[in-house]
Amino acid sequence: MLFQIDYSVFQTSRRDALTAFGTFTQEQLESLLGDHGVELIGRWHCLGEGTGTMIVETDDFSKCNAFQLAWADVCDMRAKPVMADVPAREAIQAHFM
């Protein structure tokens, strides 16, 4: 399943969050997700606002929650299930057409 995780860094933690994120290599960041059973599909940031969004894939939402807790000291995260075009159209066709 795909999940969209939106984040917002706490103003009081922005320096710590930027420092932590900036010191990771891409491999380390992907490993952090992988250690929780979550695969990164893509991630986008608005550095000026301290916000961003990512799409992740996992077979179990509790794994998504475990990943979110790793950043709980520095930001709020909100996750919701999402789907790509093809499965979305298939669901619409199955239930509304």
Side-chain angles (χ1 to χ4, degrees):
M1 292 181 67
L2 297 176
F3 295 93
Q4 178 181 335
I5 302 175
D6 297 316
Y7 75 85
S8 179
V9 177
F10 304 136
Q11 283 291 335
T12 57
S13 300
R14 186 168 292 188
R15 186 176 217 34
D16 292 339
L18 291 172
T19 300
F21 188 79
T23 60
F24 282 113
T25 65
Q26 188 62 28
E27 293 78 20
Q28 288 171 316
L29 286 167
E30 290 175 14
S31 176
L32 178 60
L33 285 151
D35 290 347
H36 291 96
V38 177
E39 178 186 352
L40 177 66
I41 304 301
R43 182 170 24 214
W44 301 267
H45 313 276
C46 180
L47 294 176
E49 291 182 358
T51 62
T53 192
M54 65 187 84
I55 304 295
V56 300
E57 186 169 13
T58 182
D59 60 349
D60 182 351
F61 187 66
S62 66
K63 295 175 183 177
C64 188
N65 284 330
F67 166 73
Q68 291 178 84
L69 288 173
W71 291 93
D73 287 342
V74 294
C75 63
D76 281 326
M77 289 187 164
R78 294 157 306 283
K80 60 187 173 188
V82 295
M83 59 177 47
D85 286 355
V86 172
R89 278 194 311 275
E90 289 171 350
I92 291 166
Q93 291 166 357
H95 296 284
F96 290 102
M97 300 178 142

